[in-house]
Amino acid sequence: MPVTSYRSASCGCCKGWVQHMRANGFAVRDVVVADVAVIKRRLGVPARLASCHTAEVAGFALEGHVPAADVKRLLQKRPPLAGLALPGMPLGSPGMESAYGKEAFTVMAFTRTGAISSFSQHAK
Amino acid sequence: MTTPLRRRQVLGLGLAGLGTAVVGPLLWDRLQRSAARAQPAGAARLASRGGVADLELVAQATRGSLPGGPAELLTYNGRSPGPLLEVNAGDRVRLRLRNELRQPTNLHFHGLHIPPTGTADNVFLSVPPGGSFDYEFTLAKDHPAGLFYVHPHQHGLSADQVFGGLSSALVVRGDLDRIPEVAAAKETVLVLKDFASASGQEAAMGVGRMLGREGPLLTVNGAINPGLAIPSGGLLRLRLLNASNARMYRLALEGHSLVLIATDGGAIATPEPLDELLLAPGERADVLVQGNQTPGSYRLLNLPYQRSGHMGMAAAEDAPRTLATLSYAGTVPPLPLPKALIPVPALPKPERTRRFVMAHAMGTGMGGMKHDMGAMGGGGMAMGGMGMGFQINGQAFEPDRIDTRVALGSTEDWLIVNDDVMDHPFHLHVNPFQVISRAGRPESQRRWKDTVLVKAGEEVRIRVTFRDFPGRTVYHCHNLDHEDLGLMGVLQIE
């Protein structure tokens, strides 16, 4: 399934997520843009769910370091959502692996109208 | 060595409201203390007498509650913020730190110009649980007057401990306090500190360690929206300390200018009226407020601030929040503002320029942490080393590696480059610096600083003379989660 990922040149973690997605069978186009915010607005990512990079797959937005397993579940079920978001840059999420530790995180789902709900919980 | 605590009384909290105390007066734990100590247990203020400051701080976990449920807060002497410490230039300072935490801790005397070695501002020492350490140093007779900051600097735990509540403001009395118009002002120290909610859910919603943890509960001296009083015609000297882990404060007082008279390292030359004042973690400022408006109530506001460049991350709040409320009470003959303060001399021409580039990245070094790499897992480990963290010039903090060697007495320009997607407040220990330019624009006025905000994608040029004290110290990001995640370097002054 083709994924297009948009990131700024200076961000030090977005490439790690692209590698994670490729390792999980996604064909990822890695695009460097001057202003990621333009992409976020176009895809309707709520500001409070923002992370560093933003991607598109099959008409869904993927914000931040969303695990590939969550993306696969999204594509299987095709729920009426605008996309998934992992806000911020949690340590231990895909592309954010660190010897400094791991953080629990929640992948959020959002709709075209901006309704937000929990999609999956990931323990430490 | 240590004395067991007797926790007789820790009161719960009400919900937010005008003047609701959160952690200050309510969290007080009666300590069983040795009779040799002159200061009463749990005092809000500890001061020097006769040229000697004999102080004690007990770091401890204290049960209390926050809106949403019970919480364990970290306190000095049962308080968060800890007691206000007040000393004079020229004093001998003896400060016993007793560690009643379950983890090691230590102290950093943020902003003081004292040795980085021995029993002074030595952040490389560590006080184990149950242990104690006697810090001891003398402040120079000409040490600038100012508001300084005592907090833990235990690498890997600094953010947890400061975010948990450990901090004390330290006032050094001296030159600035003798200016008549300043001396006539009514003085209030305001420690600005956010706390996590009892559930801690905000971290799971993205404002975690990589961005630096913020809490939704804003307190001033441990209270939610405390009242401040000013007489009509009067002058109020607000002494502001950002003791938060990562939160920025963009301050404005309704209807009033904030007249800046001092920055981190002491007085500026000429008072400077400001509509708003931005304080990064670790920064301080003294401002004068004139009671020259229609008597009434005016809110001290924290205006929204975006600290992650253009990306929308960490946009925790999109509306102003009230920190405190200023109310008019009584009338006095109008007090004037000072016309001039204390000259800030230009530093000598720099002998060299160094460049420090801050960013987050997958690291290759060990970063001073001896973790089991097997615990990391995941595809990112193909890159080896520490995995994700923060770096200066491509290297994460390593306590045994000297990154920068400077000559005692020399002057240097440091170009601090933020090549990251989020802001980094840069802090240098022991020697104050002057900001020469930000993003290529020269500064309007010389000021003594020890912490300067370097916004995402920007560059700041600072100038510093390494005076008086040889030894090993550090420079780092004062978003303390970033410091703990590697954004720190070791400086050897020799």
Side-chain angles (χ1 to χ4, degrees):
Chain A
M1 180 65 69
V3 174
T4 305
S5 175
Y6 303 93
R7 64 181 172 90
S8 69
S10 66
C11 192
C13 58
C14 306
K15 276 189 262 184
W17 182 78
V18 168
Q19 287 179 353
H20 162 79
M21 293 298 283
R22 284 176 179 157
N24 282 278
F26 290 91
V28 185
R29 196 161 67 95
D30 179 19
V31 182
V32 173
V33 293
D35 189 359
V36 192
V38 174
I39 310 285
K40 293 183 197 303
R41 275 195 295 276
R42 176 168 67 78
L43 295 174
V45 178
R48 59 185 287 244
L49 300 185
S51 176
C52 38
H53 58 271
T54 304
E56 264 185 296
V57 60
F60 291 107
L62 301 174
E63 176 68 12
H65 296 258
V66 177
D70 286 320
V71 179
K72 286 178 178 172
R73 186 155 71 93
L74 175 77
L75 295 176
Q76 276 163 14
K77 296 193 170 178
R78 306 268 172 153
L81 293 172
L84 300 180
L86 179 49
M89 303 154 68
L91 279 180
S93 61
M96 295 295 299
E97 297 84 1
S98 176
Y100 292 110
K102 289 181 81 171
E103 295 173 295
F105 59 87
T106 303
V107 174
M108 308 301 291
F110 57 94
T111 67
R112 299 250 168 254
T113 58
I116 293 168
S117 59
S118 164
F119 187 78
S120 69
Q121 307 235 357
H122 299 255
K124 270 189 191 178
Chain B
M1 179 67 84
T2 58
T3 312
L5 304 179
R6 203 183 300 156
R7 295 201 173 85
R8 289 194 195 124
Q9 187 185 19
V10 179
L11 302 177
L13 298 169
L15 284 169
L18 189 69
T20 303
V22 175
V23 267
L26 288 184
L27 256 196
W28 80 273
D29 245 7
R30 246 167 220 292
L31 309 183
Q32 183 182 338
R33 296 167 61 99
S34 76
R37 293 277 155 185
Q39 302 288 353
R45 175 177 166 274
L46 303 174
S48 66
R49 279 183 211 145
V52 177
D54 201 1
L55 313 169
E56 182 175 69
L57 291 180
V58 181
Q60 56 182 137
T62 303
R63 290 170 58 80
S65 63
L66 295 171
E72 188 178 81
L73 300 158
L74 303 183
T75 62
Y76 288 132
N77 304 359
R79 293 177 168 271
S80 179
L84 174 65
L85 309 176
E86 197 173 329
V87 302
N88 298 302
D91 278 356
R92 185 77 181 156
V93 177
R94 292 198 286 259
L95 194 163
R96 171 166 293 178
L97 171 67
R98 282 174 41 204
N99 182 6
E100 299 288 343
L101 303 171
R102 291 180 295 271
Q103 54 186 213
T105 190
N106 63 8
L107 293 180
H108 169 42
F109 298 92
H110 182 133
L112 291 188
H113 183 56
I114 56 175
T117 50
T119 61
D121 191 23
N122 181 353
V123 294
F124 291 97
L125 69 80
S126 181
V127 183
S132 73
F133 187 81
D134 292 336
Y135 290 91
E136 188 162 359
F137 52 86
T138 300
L139 288 171
K141 287 194 171 61
D142 60 352
H143 194 288
L147 178 63
F148 301 95
Y149 178 21
V150 176
H151 66 81
H153 211 287
Q154 179 76 39
H155 181 58
L157 298 169
S158 296
D160 283 352
Q161 293 183 1
V162 170
F163 193 46
L166 291 179
S167 66
S168 265
L170 169 65
V171 167
V172 175
R173 298 273 171 215
D175 48 12
L176 175 61
D177 306 294
R178 292 189 286 267
I179 292 175
E181 295 87 349
V182 176
K186 185 182 151 201
E187 175 184 305
T188 308
V189 174
L190 301 182
V191 179
L192 310 178
K193 167 82 179 83
D194 57 348
F195 286 88
S197 66
S199 70
Q201 265 193 324
E202 51 280 355
M205 275 297 290
V207 190
R209 294 174 68 198
M210 280 301 292
L211 289 169
R213 285 167 289 176
E214 294 186 17
L217 185 64
L218 299 194
T219 67
V220 177
N221 298 340
I224 294 173
N225 191 12
L228 303 169
I230 190 169
S232 229
L235 208 50
L236 191 58
R237 178 185 182 187
L238 298 179
R239 312 195 70 179
L240 300 151
L241 160 64
N242 182 348
S244 298
N245 172 54
R247 181 181 286 275
M248 300 284 302
Y249 292 86
R250 192 179 143 220
L251 302 166
L253 178 59
E254 289 177 325
H256 296 75
S257 285
L258 301 172
V259 181
L260 186 71
I261 59 168
T263 53
D264 301 339
I268 57 175
T270 310
E272 188 174 336
L274 303 172
D275 291 330
E276 56 181 71
L277 171 69
L278 187 62
L279 274 191
E283 284 190 305
R284 292 89 63 208
D286 273 22
V287 296
L288 294 176
V289 173
Q290 286 183 288
N292 57 5
Q293 298 299 309
T294 309
S297 288
Y298 299 86
R299 296 176 299 170
L300 177 65
L301 296 171
N302 188 28
L303 304 175
Y305 180 80
Q306 174 61 264
R307 62 182 175 87
S308 61
H310 57 279
M311 308 184 61
M313 287 192 296
E317 276 124 25
D318 50 14
R321 293 189 56 189
T322 304
L323 294 173
T325 301
L326 177 73
S327 298
Y328 278 67
T331 304
V332 297
L335 290 171
L337 288 171
K339 291 210 165 43
L341 299 161
I342 296 167
V344 177
L347 290 171
K349 195 166 172 282
E351 290 160 39
R352 62 173 292 177
T353 298
R354 295 177 203 261
R355 189 177 155 90
F356 298 86
V357 180
M358 305 183 286
H360 79 277
M362 279 286 174
T364 52
M366 284 300 297
M369 310 255 296
K370 311 301 182 206
H371 279 269
D372 174 11
M373 292 298 120
M376 295 165 69
M381 287 310 95
M383 298 177 186
M386 284 299 289
M388 183 51 64
F390 289 92
Q391 303 175 344
I392 301 177
N393 295 344
Q395 291 189 298
F397 175 65
E398 175 66 68
D400 299 325
R401 183 193 68 226
I402 293 170
D403 299 291
T404 305
R405 290 176 185 274
V406 301
L408 183 64
S410 68
T411 299
E412 298 194 356
D413 269 12
W414 286 11
L415 192 60
I416 317 298
V417 180
N418 184 341
D419 191 21
D420 209 339
V421 297
M422 56 191 112
D423 291 358
H424 293 300
F426 182 90
H427 173 49
L428 174 64
H429 289 206
V430 178
N431 287 289
F433 55 78
Q434 294 174 5
V435 177
I436 303 302
S437 62
R438 297 178 200 239
R441 291 185 299 277
E443 285 286 273
S444 59
Q445 170 170 187
R446 284 191 294 269
R447 301 166 174 180
W448 290 116
K449 295 287 293 170
D450 53 56
T451 308
V452 62
L453 179 63
V454 189
K455 294 181 182 179
E458 280 193 1
E459 297 183 358
V460 171
R461 179 181 290 265
I462 64 173
R463 187 164 298 167
V464 55
T465 301
F466 301 96
R467 291 185 209 276
D468 303 324
F469 307 119
R472 190 171 57 141
T473 189
V474 292
Y475 47 89
H476 61 89
C477 178
H478 216 287
N479 179 323
L480 295 173
D481 274 310
H482 295 174
E483 178 200 320
D484 284 341
L485 293 172
L487 216 173
M488 178 153 66
V490 175
L491 172 68
Q492 180 77 33
I493 306 168
E494 53 200 6

